[in-house]
Amino acid sequence: MRQVFHDFRLATRGRGLYEFTNAVAEWLSTQDLTSGLLTLHLRHTSASLLIQENADPDVRRDLEALFSRLVRDGDPLFVHTAEGADDMPAHIRTALTTVNLSIPVNQGRLALGTWQGIYVWEHRHSPHTRTVAAHFIGE
Amino acid sequence: MRQVFHDFRLATRGRGLYEFTNAVAEWLSTQDLTSGLLTLHLRHTSASLLIQENADPDVRRDLEALFSRLVRDGDPLFVHTAEGADDMPAHIRTALTTVNLSIPVNQGRLALGTWQGIYVWEHRHSPHTRTVAAHFIGE
Amino acid sequence: MRQVFHDFRLATRGRGLYEFTNAVAEWLSTQDLTSGLLTLHLRHTSASLLIQENADPDVRRDLEALFSRLVRDGDPLFVHTAEGADDMPAHIRTALTTVNLSIPVNQGRLALGTWQGIYVWEHRHSPHTRTVAAHFIGE
């Protein structure tokens, strides 16, 4: 049993879902380990990790629309506004989703379902560089 | 240190919470490994994994009621409607919860609290077969 | 590769976020293992684990305010009311967040970002003792 670490860096260009399933699969394919547990941890508090449908782009559009209604940019409820009208909503959207994912990998294949993709969900409107710390333990 | 993989298959009969704590505990009890880390990954985008109260069924009823109000079936906000009025809400309810769980297992016992049960939360109204990929690493 | 188990106990004094990043880091520093995967599992159904901004306390205040609006104490929608007006909201807030965290640890350092802290989010108004089961596998 062995383990490896890696950092994925993603450039985001405003609020939205950025798939990086292929980058994860490609990195795994370069490792000697073929079966084990993959953990992804996003090192930020205003973006999320999400496993979501990767077929119809309207799903991402509707997901965005509903979250924007649940947590409104510039809501007068918020006191923490110094970093912009989208900053506090970004923290809350992160709390409503997650920053950790754990995915089994069996004989070189991620245990994702047919329609599952791995996304960074950027919650800020301005571009950011996001880092995902990856850990893979296995054999 | 060793690892094992398993797929749990659950037949759902419409929207609601389906407990499978016992199936997990029984599978663990058949393994040579007694202590380690259990990971569960649901391979779908319109159902969730949830750890929730397993005592009063009213808790599940109220959970359902509140989520149905937060994300309404057939909301005119949604563009992705071809697969039914409950499909886009199912994706959003999945994003609001999770598809991964990580639970320590110590000397044969899941680290669940007294009132915690492990559930598949089916978000679609029609019956489905759901697969949960399990991974257990330990000794 | 080896593994260790530990229970963290936290006394909460009403609804709010209780950071215990330092307790986790201190416990890790006493282990022989320096690199691996840390898993935290909260053994309750009316509190959550959350990774969130640890700088401006207004972030926690606003997070609380928005969640209190999404899920109202004493909402007449709820049937499960015997344990108090904040009990069913506590279960729902737990479902909207999470009770599991998985964090890589590389050469003695948690892979947390600069602004990320680890919190127990108490959802009940009365004081509680909360237990977090920790598992660390590594070398």
Side-chain angles (χ1 to χ4, degrees):
Chain A
M1 208 67 70
R2 289 194 307 114
Q3 60 184 354
V4 285
F5 294 87
H6 184 68
D7 279 349
F8 292 97
R9 284 198 175 72
L10 287 99
T12 61
R13 304 168 304 279
R15 187 173 282 178
L17 289 156
Y18 297 83
E19 186 167 11
F20 68 113
T21 320
N22 288 347
V24 172
E26 280 165 27
W27 173 68
L28 285 173
S29 73
T30 65
Q31 305 304 313
D32 290 337
L33 313 174
T34 54
S35 294
L37 178 66
L38 173 73
T39 302
L40 300 173
H41 172 77
L42 179 77
R43 307 183 66 210
H44 306 277
T45 62
S46 54
S48 306
L49 289 181
L50 189 73
I51 291 178
Q52 190 53 247
E53 227 235 32
N54 61 2
D56 183 358
D58 283 342
V59 170
R60 272 101 76 192
R61 181 249 164 230
D62 288 351
L63 192 58
E64 198 60 61
L66 199 285
F67 268 70
S68 295
R69 186 205 274 167
L70 283 183
V71 191
R72 291 191 186 278
D73 284 355
D75 192 311
L77 184 70
F78 301 136
V79 172
H80 176 83
T81 55
E83 293 171 61
D86 62 333
D87 184 60
M88 195 57 228
H91 292 310
I92 295 172
R93 291 158 64 117
T94 300
L96 285 169
T97 50
T98 191
V99 294
N100 288 159
L101 297 176
S102 302
I103 309 171
V105 179
N106 201 345
Q107 296 177 302
R109 293 178 67 93
L110 286 155
L112 295 174
T114 313
W115 309 109
Q116 289 184 317
I118 309 173
Y119 294 86
V120 166
W121 193 351
E122 176 60 68
H123 299 308
R124 301 301 307 268
H125 289 297
S126 54
H128 282 76
T129 301
R130 302 302 194 176
T131 306
V132 178
H135 174 265
F136 184 39
I137 184 169
E139 58 198 347
Chain B
M1 211 66 72
R2 289 194 305 115
Q3 61 185 353
V4 284
F5 293 86
H6 184 68
D7 279 349
F8 292 97
R9 283 199 175 71
L10 287 98
T12 62
R13 305 168 303 280
R15 187 174 281 179
L17 288 154
Y18 296 83
E19 187 168 11
F20 68 113
T21 320
N22 288 347
V24 172
E26 280 165 27
W27 173 68
L28 285 173
S29 73
T30 64
Q31 305 304 313
D32 290 337
L33 313 174
T34 55
S35 294
L37 178 66
L38 173 72
T39 302
L40 300 174
H41 172 77
L42 180 76
R43 307 182 67 212
H44 307 277
T45 61
S46 55
S48 307
L49 290 181
L50 189 74
I51 291 179
Q52 190 54 245
E53 227 234 31
N54 61 2
D56 183 358
D58 283 343
V59 169
R60 272 101 74 192
R61 180 251 166 230
D62 288 352
L63 192 58
E64 198 61 62
L66 198 286
F67 267 70
S68 294
R69 186 205 272 167
L70 283 183
V71 191
R72 291 192 186 278
D73 284 353
D75 192 312
L77 184 70
F78 301 137
V79 171
H80 175 83
T81 55
E83 294 171 60
D86 62 331
D87 184 59
M88 196 56 228
H91 293 309
I92 295 171
R93 291 157 65 117
T94 301
L96 285 168
T97 51
T98 190
V99 294
N100 289 158
L101 297 175
S102 303
I103 309 171
V105 178
N106 200 345
Q107 295 178 302
R109 293 178 66 92
L110 285 155
L112 294 174
T114 312
W115 309 109
Q116 289 183 318
I118 308 173
Y119 293 87
V120 165
W121 194 351
E122 175 60 68
H123 299 307
R124 302 300 307 268
H125 290 297
S126 55
H128 282 77
T129 301
R130 301 303 193 174
T131 305
V132 178
H135 173 265
F136 184 39
I137 184 170
E139 59 198 348
Chain C
M1 210 66 71
R2 289 193 306 113
Q3 61 185 352
V4 285
F5 292 86
H6 184 68
D7 279 348
F8 292 97
R9 285 199 173 70
L10 286 100
T12 61
R13 304 168 304 280
R15 187 174 281 180
L17 288 156
Y18 297 83
E19 186 168 11
F20 68 113
T21 320
N22 287 347
V24 172
E26 279 164 28
W27 173 69
L28 285 173
S29 73
T30 65
Q31 305 305 311
D32 290 336
L33 313 174
T34 54
S35 295
L37 177 67
L38 173 72
T39 302
L40 301 173
H41 172 77
L42 179 78
R43 306 183 66 211
H44 307 276
T45 61
S46 54
S48 306
L49 290 180
L50 189 73
I51 292 178
Q52 191 53 247
E53 226 235 31
N54 61 1
D56 182 358
D58 283 344
V59 169
R60 272 101 74 192
R61 180 249 166 233
D62 289 352
L63 193 58
E64 198 61 62
L66 198 285
F67 268 70
S68 295
R69 187 204 273 168
L70 283 183
V71 190
R72 292 190 186 278
D73 284 354
D75 192 310
L77 184 70
F78 301 137
V79 171
H80 175 83
T81 56
E83 293 171 61
D86 62 331
D87 185 59
M88 196 56 229
H91 292 311
I92 295 172
R93 290 156 67 116
T94 301
L96 284 168
T97 50
T98 191
V99 294
N100 289 158
L101 297 175
S102 303
I103 309 171
V105 178
N106 200 346
Q107 295 178 300
R109 293 178 67 93
L110 286 156
L112 294 174
T114 312
W115 309 109
Q116 288 184 317
I118 308 173
Y119 293 87
V120 166
W121 193 352
E122 176 61 68
H123 299 307
R124 302 299 308 266
H125 290 297
S126 54
H128 282 77
T129 302
R130 302 303 193 174
T131 307
V132 178
H135 174 264
F136 184 40
I137 185 169
E139 58 197 347

